[in-house]
Amino acid sequence: EKPVIRDLSLTVEPGHMVAIVGPTGAGKTTLVNLLMRFYEIDSGKIAINGRSIADINKDDLRAGIGMVLQDTWLFEGTIAENIAYGAGRDVSMDEVVAAAKKAQAHSFIRHLPQGYDTVVKAEGSNLSQGERQLLTIARAFISRPDILILDEATSSVDTRTEAVIQEAMERLRKGRTSFVIAHRLSTIRSADVILVLEDGDVVEQGSHEELLAAQGAYAKLHALQFEE
């Protein structure tokens, strides 16, 4: 019953990257949930290509949006089935392999006991965190979304795996409109727009250079991470 996000006004150009930063509880995930219509807005409008998302069937809306989240979700089935799940259509084995290659997952899959036919245990317990993340990126590739939502947290993987995941995500973002929930500011310097959220308010909006020059909330966050 209390407003979560107030006075947000934003236009995103096709193919642009929007980074969303701010402390825990600032409203970053809420913004994503509104875009996906997991929550409905009680005032204002969210539109895609000029059409209000309230007028778009939820299944159709979500079919055009790919998500790679910090918490990976895999089911008990083969590696190939887990990747193909993102398509929402019948896909060939060639398409599955092509998506895995784009996501940098092909090399580790080849070394599994049964390759693409290896069965994923409950919640992917027989795979590492980094391997699970690469599979969800492959799943996003095969779904061919127009819009991407990326929670780019890689805090629980080693440095080498993080670099592989970041490279796969950059490839996935190419040519697509993306919303990135950013945890490490070093990964979003190239964002077209950075939104800085605090308690549901957008306190700053601009590019990395503009926000550093403004010496406000973003510059403080940046200095804090840089010192760490």
Side-chain angles (χ1 to χ4, degrees):
E1 304 203 351
K2 136 183 183 221
V4 181
I5 291 181
R6 298 169 289 271
D7 303 324
L8 168 60
S9 181
L10 175 69
T11 301
V12 184
E13 299 295 331
H16 275 197
M17 171 186 169
V18 178
I20 307 162
V21 305
T24 303
K28 301 188 294 293
T29 305
T30 300
L31 208 54
V32 166
N33 286 333
L34 291 173
L35 191 61
M36 300 284 287
R37 282 188 68 196
F38 292 131
Y39 303 158
E40 299 290 0
I41 51 176
D42 52 16
S43 65
K45 184 168 92 166
I46 299 173
I48 296 176
N49 295 333
R51 186 182 175 198
S52 170
I53 62 170
D55 299 331
I56 302 173
N57 174 283
K58 284 182 183 179
D59 289 342
D60 292 341
L61 172 70
R62 292 169 189 166
I65 301 175
M67 299 180 83
V68 179
L69 303 178
Q70 185 176 5
D71 297 321
T72 55
W73 178 78
L74 300 172
F75 56 86
E76 288 188 61
T78 66
I79 294 278
E81 286 167 345
N82 267 279
I83 294 173
Y85 182 79
R89 64 184 193 283
D90 288 335
V91 292
S92 67
M93 196 59 207
D94 286 346
E95 284 181 270
V96 169
V97 173
K101 284 179 177 175
K102 286 178 187 169
Q104 313 265 68
H106 179 67
S107 58
F108 91 77
I109 294 170
R110 276 189 313 124
H111 291 103
L112 292 173
Q114 280 85 42
Y116 284 85
D117 292 324
T118 301
V119 174
V120 176
K121 290 183 183 171
E123 296 183 19
S125 60
N126 55 332
L127 300 171
S128 72
Q129 172 66 24
E131 288 167 346
R132 294 199 294 271
Q133 192 70 283
L134 292 176
L135 288 184
T136 62
I137 294 172
R139 188 187 278 169
F141 265 114
I142 212 164
S143 72
R144 302 196 296 242
D146 298 316
I147 295 172
L148 278 173
I149 292 168
L150 303 176
D151 187 339
E152 52 89 91
T154 47
S155 53
S156 51
V157 299
D158 60 77
T159 310
R160 184 179 167 279
T161 306
E162 180 181 10
V164 172
I165 292 171
Q166 290 296 350
E167 190 180 328
M169 282 191 174
E170 276 174 38
R171 198 176 290 178
L172 180 60
R173 278 205 319 260
K174 204 166 184 183
R176 293 185 170 98
T177 306
S178 58
F179 294 82
V180 179
I181 297 175
H183 301 262
R184 297 189 185 177
L185 303 186
S186 58
T187 63
I188 55 153
R189 285 179 181 166
S190 60
D192 297 283
V193 181
I194 298 171
L195 296 180
V196 185
L197 291 177
E198 282 182 4
D199 296 324
D201 287 319
V202 179
V203 293
E204 287 185 312
Q205 185 172 319
S207 68
H208 172 74
E209 289 77 16
E210 288 166 350
L211 295 178
L212 277 187
Q215 290 294 302
Y218 180 80
K220 282 179 191 158
L221 277 174
H222 190 268
L224 207 62
Q225 285 200 8
F226 189 72
E227 282 164 18
E228 284 171 7

